[in-house]
Amino acid sequence: MSTKQKIQIPRGLKDVLPDEQKYWFWLENNFYSVASMAGFERIILPTFESTNLFKRSVGEFTDIVSKEMYVFKDKSGNSMALRPEGTAGVLRAYIEHGMHALPQPIKLFYWGPMFRYDRPQAGRFREFWQFGLEVLGDPNPLCDALVIQTVVKYHSKLGLKDVVVKINSLGTTKSRAKMISALTRFLSKHKKDLCANCQRRLKINPLRVLDCKTSKCRSITEETGTVLIDNLDEVSKKRFTKVLEYLDDMQINYELDPGLVRGLDYYTHTVYEVIVRGNKDLAIGGGGRYDGLIEQLGGPDVAGIGYAGGVERTINALKEQAVNIPNMIQSDVFVIQLGAKAKIKSIKVINDLDRVGLRVASSIGSIRAQLSEASKMNTPLTIIIGEQEVYDKNVILRDMKDRSQETILDRNLVKMVIKKLEEKGINVKPLSYD
Ligand code: AMP
């Protein structure tokens, strides 16, 4: 291969360019704020873990683990996998750091990239980002409703409309086994009409047949109707009713979906998916309860429930609904200088403004380039210093919104900038942590 050949981004990956950043900040900032207010704490986990972690949690026979995982051997010969989802790592950390010994529940949130070797198409990438919530150590049905409420609150804070939660129950592990046998009996009658993949799934993991997207299988699975829910045991039914009652009390827009099973093996009781209604319904996230999974991973018998939403899909939904995303104010004031002497003066000006805790931005380049950068940064005020201002011991202060300008003496500058910002409702306080 010629060394001059252009290297291109691998299939299914993407670059997030500067123009897109306002969406990413909007999602990330709002997620941190909604999750923190609801009592969740942030956890940062590795992007790859032992392959076994995902085999034992997500399930060896799920599409995610059997077909889509990026698996590699490290230099010691250990099998590692790029994480295809976030829950398994959170549970591993919960067990490893003895979090079960702390007052329960433990409420954690994460934000980061996930990897699945899936067929790329619109809205489906091989590296994509998820935001997630997990509550560990609370088996109460109210906990399910509270997690769903936090998720709904987040989407409404983002400005998304027509958000619906589709919900179902898979019951206890025992009840789930009964539901699976009923489903197997139903599907076996149509075995020859299922796709080859689903004929295999029917033997090893019949629930996954319900996820199949081929029209052949869909026409059969649509007929399953209430097979699952009819086989839900009484205790699970009662629990599910409670969850729905809480959601009613919270006035959450939900819809029962008796065919909803989700693509991972570990779910028990509540499973749900968040849909944005449009020309075509768009699934932007999902989650469910996974009582028993922590024990399965070698921890204590502790209940858990979570949610994972897709960043790219949520951004798509915001774009489709033309939601107006506010521009970020990254700095309070932008200093523009023209000429060698002005550059030297600008160093002192920047320093003076910096010391009172203002966010000061500056740049080198032509006046046009500097002005364009200032307006791109959405800076409320700009200070302009030319050679004349150096001799006159003043600067020009420009309001970027109404484009008015006035000349301010150097010694009054800091005071004047603070006053102007306060008039705009921007609170100027030295940066502090407590
Ligand atoms: P899951 O972990 O499969 O339940 O997916 C949860 C959410 O993550 C989905 O609703 C999507 O928004 C997002 N997601 C899953 N897989 C992909 C992918 N390959 N590319 C982009 N987003 C994805």
Side-chain angles (χ1 to χ4, degrees):
M1 200 207 300
S2 148
T3 50
K4 286 201 177 145
Q5 201 169 340
K6 245 198 304 187
I7 298 178
Q8 285 182 327
I9 193 164
R11 206 163 115 77
L13 305 188
K14 65 179 179 313
D15 300 314
V16 183
L17 300 178
D19 280 355
E20 282 280 296
Q21 296 301 329
K22 73 171 184 181
Y23 288 97
W24 285 70
F25 274 112
W26 182 239
L27 259 70
E28 195 171 348
N29 286 344
N30 278 304
F31 187 59
Y32 285 15
S33 115
V34 171
S36 308
M37 302 260 242
F40 288 82
E41 291 179 293
R42 185 177 176 188
I43 188 163
I44 300 176
L45 295 165
T47 40
F48 64 89
E49 303 249 8
S50 303
T51 307
N52 269 339
L53 173 66
F54 303 111
K55 280 194 181 160
R56 274 171 57 185
S57 54
V58 180
E60 206 165 347
F61 301 111
T62 56
D63 279 358
I64 294 178
V65 169
S66 64
K67 292 199 248 159
E68 298 167 6
M69 214 152 56
Y70 280 89
V71 179
F72 63 97
K73 283 236 156 80
D74 69 10
K75 287 187 175 163
S76 310
N78 301 310
S79 179
M80 297 287 165
L82 296 186
R83 63 179 181 195
E85 57 97 59
T87 304
V90 173
L91 301 195
R92 194 240 342 110
Y94 174 85
I95 299 167
E96 206 159 332
H97 299 285
M99 290 189 218
H100 51 274
L102 302 171
Q104 304 292 298
I106 299 286
K107 298 166 83 176
L108 300 168
F109 75 88
Y110 61 81
W111 168 279
M114 306 294 158
F115 307 85
R116 293 183 197 169
Y117 190 83
D118 203 352
R119 202 162 43 83
Q121 58 184 55
R124 198 198 284 155
F125 301 97
R126 289 181 173 166
E127 182 188 30
F128 59 96
W129 289 62
Q130 281 189 337
F131 47 89
L133 300 169
E134 313 286 352
V135 182
L136 309 164
D138 185 355
N140 202 305
L142 177 59
C143 174
D144 304 26
L146 285 171
V147 173
I148 295 173
Q149 186 188 39
T150 307
V151 170
V152 169
K153 209 183 268 178
Y154 173 54
H155 290 109
S156 116
K157 188 119 193 264
L158 291 179
L160 272 180
K161 289 173 286 292
D162 305 321
V163 173
V164 181
V165 178
K166 286 197 172 178
I167 190 165
N168 192 21
S169 173
L170 298 174
T172 57
T173 321
K174 216 163 131 202
S175 155
R176 193 179 136 124
K178 207 171 143 219
M179 292 160 91
I180 293 175
S181 334
L183 180 69
T184 311
R185 276 196 303 279
F186 173 85
L187 293 174
S188 299
K189 283 189 255 166
H190 305 276
K191 188 173 170 189
K192 61 176 190 339
D193 300 319
L194 292 171
C195 72
N197 219 346
C198 281
Q199 293 195 9
R200 189 179 58 89
R201 285 180 178 140
L202 184 57
K203 243 197 244 150
I204 53 174
N205 198 347
L207 279 182
R208 296 282 73 84
V209 176
L210 297 180
D211 293 331
C212 186
K213 303 281 181 283
T214 64
S215 54
K216 227 171 143 179
C217 294
R218 279 204 118 148
S219 62
I220 297 167
T221 53
E222 267 159 22
E223 296 295 309
T224 51
T226 54
V227 157
L228 290 176
I229 209 99
D230 290 346
N231 285 280
L232 200 61
D233 63 26
E234 277 314 306
V235 181
S236 305
K237 236 181 231 168
K238 254 198 187 139
R239 188 187 187 285
F240 189 38
T241 310
K242 273 253 163 270
V243 174
L244 300 181
E245 281 169 8
Y246 287 129
L247 293 179
D248 285 332
D249 290 344
M250 294 168 177
Q251 297 182 314
I252 284 171
N253 187 10
Y254 69 85
E255 220 169 64
L256 292 176
D257 182 349
L260 183 71
V261 292
R262 316 264 312 119
L264 300 92
D265 269 358
Y266 51 57
Y267 289 123
T268 54
H269 291 297
T270 310
V271 283
Y272 60 101
E273 208 159 64
V274 174
I275 306 286
V276 179
R277 292 253 186 265
N279 288 339
K280 236 179 98 199
D281 284 359
L282 180 70
I284 54 171
R289 185 161 274 287
Y290 43 79
D291 300 350
L293 182 59
I294 296 178
E295 200 177 12
Q296 198 177 306
L297 289 174
D301 181 12
V302 169
I305 180 163
Y307 177 79
V311 172
E312 293 85 349
R313 296 236 186 124
T314 307
I315 290 177
N316 273 355
L318 286 169
K319 286 182 179 167
E320 234 163 68
Q321 293 189 356
V323 176
N324 188 23
I325 308 293
N327 285 313
M328 288 173 306
I329 297 182
Q330 294 164 324
S331 47
D332 303 313
V333 55
F334 197 101
V335 179
I336 289 178
Q337 28 69 31
L338 307 149
K341 290 208 173 85
K343 193 174 280 175
I344 293 167
K345 175 168 172 171
S346 78
I347 294 171
K348 184 175 176 323
V349 168
I350 291 171
N351 200 33
D352 288 349
L353 296 167
D354 218 29
R355 275 187 12 219
V356 294
L358 290 167
R359 295 170 299 173
V360 196
S362 62
S363 131
I364 42 174
S366 68
I367 178 144
R368 235 178 110 214
Q370 293 185 64
L371 271 170
S372 128
E373 200 169 322
S375 88
K376 244 205 232 154
M377 285 182 92
N378 195 28
T379 311
L381 296 176
T382 298
I383 290 169
I384 303 167
I385 311 170
E387 296 288 296
Q388 192 60 48
E389 284 72 34
V390 176
Y391 294 117
D392 295 347
K393 296 194 171 28
N394 59 24
V395 303
I396 296 167
L397 185 60
R398 182 180 166 95
D399 184 317
M400 297 298 274
K401 201 155 205 174
D402 63 19
R403 297 179 179 184
S404 61
Q405 291 193 172
E406 52 186 307
T407 304
I408 312 284
L409 282 175
D410 287 351
R411 60 184 142 84
N412 294 334
L413 180 61
V414 172
K415 231 175 19 205
M416 200 60 191
V417 169
I418 293 176
K419 183 168 169 264
K420 285 253 173 208
L421 288 170
E422 281 177 351
E423 278 168 15
K424 289 176 176 296
I426 301 168
N427 200 4
V428 181
K429 272 203 190 122
L431 300 173
S432 67
Y433 280 93
D434 265 317

